[in-house]
Tab-separated table of all heavy atoms in Angstrom:
chain	number	residue	atom	x	y	z
I	8	ARG	N	-61.946	11.591	-57.861
I	8	ARG	CA	-61.087	10.460	-57.602
I	8	ARG	C	-59.617	10.810	-57.682
I	8	ARG	O	-58.797	10.395	-56.890
I	8	ARG	CB	-61.389	9.352	-58.612
I	8	ARG	CG	-62.701	8.672	-58.389
I	8	ARG	CD	-62.938	7.560	-59.411
I	8	ARG	NE	-64.237	6.887	-59.185
I	8	ARG	CZ	-64.674	5.906	-59.974
I	8	ARG	NH1	-63.929	5.470	-61.004
I	8	ARG	NH2	-65.862	5.356	-59.734
I	9	ARG	N	-59.299	11.676	-58.668
I	9	ARG	CA	-57.877	12.103	-58.767
I	9	ARG	C	-57.433	12.894	-57.500
I	9	ARG	O	-56.340	12.748	-56.978
I	9	ARG	CB	-57.695	13.012	-60.003
I	9	ARG	CG	-57.758	12.168	-61.285
I	9	ARG	CD	-57.578	13.122	-62.502
I	9	ARG	NE	-57.603	12.343	-63.743
I	9	ARG	CZ	-57.506	12.906	-64.951
I	9	ARG	NH1	-57.357	14.231	-65.054
I	9	ARG	NH2	-57.538	12.172	-66.015
I	10	ARG	N	-58.374	13.758	-57.070
I	10	ARG	CA	-58.038	14.566	-55.871
I	10	ARG	C	-57.908	13.619	-54.651
I	10	ARG	O	-56.980	13.776	-53.852
I	10	ARG	CB	-59.141	15.576	-55.598
I	10	ARG	CG	-58.857	16.472	-54.431
I	10	ARG	CD	-59.923	17.543	-54.271
I	10	ARG	NE	-60.009	18.386	-55.434
I	10	ARG	CZ	-60.936	19.337	-55.616
I	10	ARG	NH1	-61.856	19.505	-54.718
I	10	ARG	NH2	-60.908	20.092	-56.670
I	11	ALA	N	-58.814	12.642	-54.550
I	11	ALA	CA	-58.703	11.710	-53.401
I	11	ALA	C	-57.407	10.917	-53.524
I	11	ALA	O	-56.721	10.646	-52.551
I	11	ALA	CB	-59.916	10.767	-53.396
I	12	PHE	N	-57.054	10.524	-54.804
I	12	PHE	CA	-55.777	9.793	-54.990
I	12	PHE	C	-54.575	10.658	-54.568
I	12	PHE	O	-53.620	10.139	-53.919
I	12	PHE	CB	-55.684	9.322	-56.425
I	12	PHE	CG	-54.408	8.564	-56.738
I	12	PHE	CD1	-54.270	7.239	-56.295
I	12	PHE	CD2	-53.397	9.171	-57.427
I	12	PHE	CE1	-53.107	6.568	-56.570
I	12	PHE	CE2	-52.241	8.495	-57.672
I	12	PHE	CZ	-52.080	7.171	-57.250
I	13	ARG	N	-54.594	11.918	-54.946
I	13	ARG	CA	-53.494	12.786	-54.599
I	13	ARG	C	-53.394	12.969	-53.081
I	13	ARG	O	-52.313	12.938	-52.493
I	13	ARG	CB	-53.654	14.132	-55.280
I	13	ARG	CG	-53.321	14.147	-56.753
I	13	ARG	CD	-53.126	15.584	-57.218
I	13	ARG	NE	-54.335	16.405	-57.105
I	13	ARG	CZ	-55.261	16.521	-58.012
I	13	ARG	NH1	-55.136	15.879	-59.186
I	13	ARG	NH2	-56.337	17.276	-57.795
I	14	HIS	N	-54.620	13.145	-52.418
I	14	HIS	CA	-54.591	13.274	-50.963
I	14	HIS	C	-54.055	12.001	-50.341
I	14	HIS	O	-53.271	12.033	-49.360
I	14	HIS	CB	-56.029	13.573	-50.477
I	14	HIS	CG	-56.413	14.985	-50.719
I	14	HIS	ND1	-55.728	16.056	-50.185
I	14	HIS	CD2	-57.463	15.523	-51.440
I	14	HIS	CE1	-56.330	17.211	-50.548
I	14	HIS	NE2	-57.372	16.921	-51.330
I	15	ALA	N	-54.463	10.817	-50.875
I	15	ALA	CA	-54.006	9.576	-50.285
I	15	ALA	C	-52.511	9.412	-50.523
I	15	ALA	O	-51.756	8.958	-49.609
I	15	ALA	CB	-54.764	8.388	-50.914
I	16	SER	N	-52.023	9.836	-51.699
I	16	SER	CA	-50.562	9.735	-52.002
I	16	SER	C	-49.806	10.662	-51.024
I	16	SER	O	-48.729	10.264	-50.524
I	16	SER	CB	-50.301	10.078	-53.450
I	16	SER	OG	-50.978	9.218	-54.324
I	17	ARG	N	-50.319	11.850	-50.885
I	17	ARG	CA	-49.664	12.787	-49.960
I	17	ARG	C	-49.648	12.240	-48.541
I	17	ARG	O	-48.677	12.335	-47.790
I	17	ARG	CB	-50.345	14.126	-49.998
I	17	ARG	CG	-49.612	15.205	-49.225
I	17	ARG	CD	-50.326	16.565	-49.379
I	17	ARG	NE	-50.388	16.969	-50.781
I	17	ARG	CZ	-51.054	18.029	-51.196
I	17	ARG	NH1	-51.786	18.764	-50.322
I	17	ARG	NH2	-51.069	18.342	-52.474
I	18	ALA	N	-50.770	11.666	-48.104
I	18	ALA	CA	-50.811	11.088	-46.757
I	18	ALA	C	-49.841	9.949	-46.631
I	18	ALA	O	-49.125	9.794	-45.587
I	18	ALA	CB	-52.246	10.599	-46.474
I	19	LEU	N	-49.757	9.111	-47.708
I	19	LEU	CA	-48.767	8.018	-47.665
I	19	LEU	C	-47.331	8.568	-47.595
I	19	LEU	O	-46.525	8.010	-46.849
I	19	LEU	CB	-48.981	7.136	-48.882
I	19	LEU	CG	-50.227	6.233	-48.887
I	19	LEU	CD1	-50.339	5.483	-50.227
I	19	LEU	CD2	-50.202	5.250	-47.727
I	20	GLU	N	-47.066	9.606	-48.360
I	20	GLU	CA	-45.701	10.190	-48.348
I	20	GLU	C	-45.402	10.739	-46.992
I	20	GLU	O	-44.311	10.565	-46.443
I	20	GLU	CB	-45.606	11.285	-49.412
I	20	GLU	CG	-45.617	10.765	-50.826
I	20	GLU	CD	-44.343	9.999	-51.120
I	20	GLU	OE1	-43.301	10.259	-50.490
I	20	GLU	OE2	-44.374	9.132	-52.011
I	21	LEU	N	-46.389	11.421	-46.383
I	21	LEU	CA	-46.163	11.988	-45.035
I	21	LEU	C	-45.951	10.856	-44.020
I	21	LEU	O	-45.117	10.946	-43.131
I	21	LEU	CB	-47.370	12.853	-44.606
I	21	LEU	CG	-47.526	14.183	-45.365
I	21	LEU	CD1	-48.824	14.877	-44.937
I	21	LEU	CD2	-46.335	15.070	-45.165
I	22	THR	N	-46.758	9.825	-44.149
I	22	THR	CA	-46.602	8.681	-43.249
I	22	THR	C	-45.225	8.035	-43.419
I	22	THR	O	-44.566	7.654	-42.451
I	22	THR	CB	-47.720	7.603	-43.478
I	22	THR	OG1	-48.973	8.244	-43.397
I	22	THR	CG2	-47.611	6.477	-42.453
I	23	ARG	N	-44.832	7.898	-44.673
I	23	ARG	CA	-43.513	7.285	-44.948
I	23	ARG	C	-42.389	8.173	-44.385
I	23	ARG	O	-41.410	7.706	-43.837
I	23	ARG	CB	-43.364	7.110	-46.465
I	23	ARG	CG	-42.025	6.507	-46.839
I	23	ARG	CD	-41.908	6.439	-48.355
I	23	ARG	NE	-40.631	5.845	-48.734
I	23	ARG	CZ	-40.200	5.762	-50.004
I	23	ARG	NH1	-41.001	6.203	-50.990
I	23	ARG	NH2	-39.000	5.246	-50.275
I	24	GLU	N	-42.557	9.488	-44.556
I	24	GLU	CA	-41.511	10.404	-44.052
I	24	GLU	C	-41.425	10.344	-42.532
I	24	GLU	O	-40.341	10.306	-41.975
I	24	GLU	CB	-41.805	11.810	-44.513
I	24	GLU	CG	-40.752	12.827	-44.139
I	24	GLU	CD	-41.084	14.214	-44.671
I	24	GLU	OE1	-42.065	14.357	-45.432
I	24	GLU	OE2	-40.291	15.145	-44.371
I	25	VAL	N	-42.616	10.330	-41.863
I	25	VAL	CA	-42.627	10.200	-40.398
I	25	VAL	C	-42.017	8.899	-39.986
I	25	VAL	O	-41.203	8.840	-39.044
I	25	VAL	CB	-44.055	10.368	-39.881
I	25	VAL	CG1	-44.111	10.019	-38.400
I	25	VAL	CG2	-44.585	11.749	-40.119
I	26	ARG	N	-42.347	7.819	-40.701
I	26	ARG	CA	-41.753	6.497	-40.347
I	26	ARG	C	-40.235	6.491	-40.515
I	26	ARG	O	-39.474	5.938	-39.707
I	26	ARG	CB	-42.406	5.432	-41.240
I	26	ARG	CG	-41.955	4.009	-40.960
I	26	ARG	CD	-42.306	3.626	-39.539
I	26	ARG	NE	-41.893	2.232	-39.278
I	26	ARG	CZ	-41.916	1.668	-38.102
I	26	ARG	NH1	-42.338	2.381	-37.043
I	26	ARG	NH2	-41.536	0.423	-37.928
Side-chain angles (χ1 to χ4, degrees):
R8 289 181 180 179
R9 288 180 180 178
R10 183 177 298 176
F12 179 75
R13 284 197 298 270
H14 284 300
S16 299
R17 187 177 301 173
L19 288 175
E20 289 292 335
L21 291 176
T22 305
R23 180 183 179 186
E24 185 177 357
V25 171
R26 183 61 178 172

